[in-house]
């Protein structure tokens, strides 16, 4: 009887390392899953922080046309980002025209969070003509961090009668952010973003030649 007890105790002692190995593997699996979850949470936090940083420091402009009087209007460009930009070109066109009708070359800095304004009543009337009802669009090209960007076309409904601005209201906000036209810091260029401006100049030369 005593020998049986000793054998049972010996067998139990032999199973202890096996049980310890199983427990260790189980705890290792739990720790590995916890580590993976922590890594995923860290990646998500870094992605959110990166997105927030890019949203705050990536250039983003808002364009608004305002009617001041029957003979005058102004454009208000707001820099929604923290980074400063250098305004280069203002373009106006009717939506029925593929090529911008009016272009105004600029060289004005715009600090982050600030606005830039200019009176454009005469330019609007020249663009639309003395009698017009319909949509026009405005876009701004600018430099920021050594690269050239261009906003999408902001649309406005305008009504002009007898050369006087009767109504001027915004109709929509562009769904796309600013697009890179040129990179000054390196050879990399995104030509597809520059096609609109370049193609407009090509169409104008072709029309003039024909």
């Amino acid at each position: 009887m005593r020998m049986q007890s000793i054998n049972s105790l010996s067998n139990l002692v032999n199973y202890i390392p096996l049980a310890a190995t199983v427990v260790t593997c189980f705890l290792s699996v739990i720790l590995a899953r916890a580590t993976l979850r922590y890594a995923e949470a860290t990646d998500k936090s870094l992605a959110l922080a990166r997105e927030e940083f890019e949203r705050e420091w990536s250039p983003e402009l808002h364009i608004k046309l305002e009617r001041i009087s029957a003979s005058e209007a102004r454009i208000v460009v707001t820099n929604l980002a923290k980074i400063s930009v250098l305004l280069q070109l203002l373009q106006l066109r009717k939506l029925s025209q593929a090529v911008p009708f009016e272009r105004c070359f600029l060289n004005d800095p715009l600090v982050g969070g600030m606005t830039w304004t200019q009176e454009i009543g005469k330019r609007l009337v020249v663009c639309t003509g003395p009698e017009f009802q319909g949509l026009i669009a405005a876009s701004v090209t600018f430099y920021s961090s050594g690269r050239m960007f261009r906003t999408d076309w902001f649309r406005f409904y305008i009504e002009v009668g007898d050369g006087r601005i009767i109504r001027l209201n915004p109709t929509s906000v562009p769904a796309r952010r600013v697009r890179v036209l040129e990179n000054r810091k390196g050879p990399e260029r995104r030509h597809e973003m520059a096609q609109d401006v370049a193609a407009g100049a090509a169409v104008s030369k072709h029309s003039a030649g024909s």
Side-chain angles (χ1 to χ4, degrees), residues 143-183:
Y143 274 116
S144 177
S145 301
R147 293 183 295 175
M148 180 178 285
F149 295 86
R150 192 196 67 201
T151 67
D152 203 355
W153 292 95
F154 286 73
R155 299 181 179 184
F156 304 86
Y157 176 83
I158 187 171
E159 182 178 349
V160 179
D162 194 21
R164 301 170 66 85
I165 303 174
I166 301 173
R167 187 185 306 174
L168 180 59
N169 299 319
T171 60
S172 66
V173 176
R176 294 178 294 182
R177 296 174 64 87
V178 296
R179 298 180 292 171
V180 179
L181 295 179
E182 179 184 354
N183 190 344

Side-chain angles (χ1 to χ4, degrees), residues 82-102:
K82 293 183 177 181
I83 191 170
S84 299
V85 302
L86 182 63
L87 304 180
Q88 292 290 294
L89 178 67
L90 166 64
Q91 299 182 91
L92 300 171
R93 70 177 177 92
K94 298 178 183 177
L95 291 187
S96 58
Q97 295 176 334
V99 180
F101 182 86
E102 184 70 20

